[in-house]
Amino acid sequence: MGTAPEIWNVIMGVMVKVIPRTFWLNPTFSQGLATFSEPMVKLTDKFVGETHAIRVDVRGESGAEAKALQTHRSFRECVGQSCAEFVLMLLKRHASDNDTMSTGVYLPEQLFREDAKRKEMLARLTSTPGTTGYTIQDNAQIKTSLFES
């Protein structure tokens, strides 16, 4: 699985190998890359349609690893739905009696440190309309689902 057409996967793979990690952590670099590539992506989408996949690999300080891959028919819809799911989850937590969060800006890894909360959010994110498949691998346990388009 990957982003269509395959050339985008090849280009991204080469870039990840060649460009130092410190560059990827720099918001200015990432924004510049997005701005540069947007016209090419829009042009390609007109010919092949829009398909999106995202893969996230995480390694903890203990050496534990987790990987997730989600494919979706539309990047724009996926981003919007994902943002909405985060807001809904925050509203749900805020309305609960045991909410101890103070107001502020939080990273997802801060909000979903607890296993139960993380699993609930992953279930919501991988079932948004338009999702065509997902794989989650957590320390050798693999869960895969492919949906009909």
Side-chain angles (χ1 to χ4, degrees), residues 54-99:
I54 185 166
R55 177 178 163 173
V56 178
D57 295 345
V58 179
R59 181 178 298 130
E61 291 177 359
S62 68
E65 294 182 359
K67 299 175 183 182
L69 171 72
Q70 180 181 19
T71 56
H72 199 281
R73 70 173 180 241
S74 170
F75 175 73
R76 291 159 191 83
E77 289 177 16
C78 187
V79 170
Q81 291 166 349
S82 296
C83 290
E85 290 299 335
F86 275 97
V87 170
L88 290 169
M89 182 66 73
L90 289 172
L91 290 172
K92 178 180 172 185
R93 285 173 71 172
H94 183 69
S96 71
D97 293 334
N98 58 358
D99 177 41

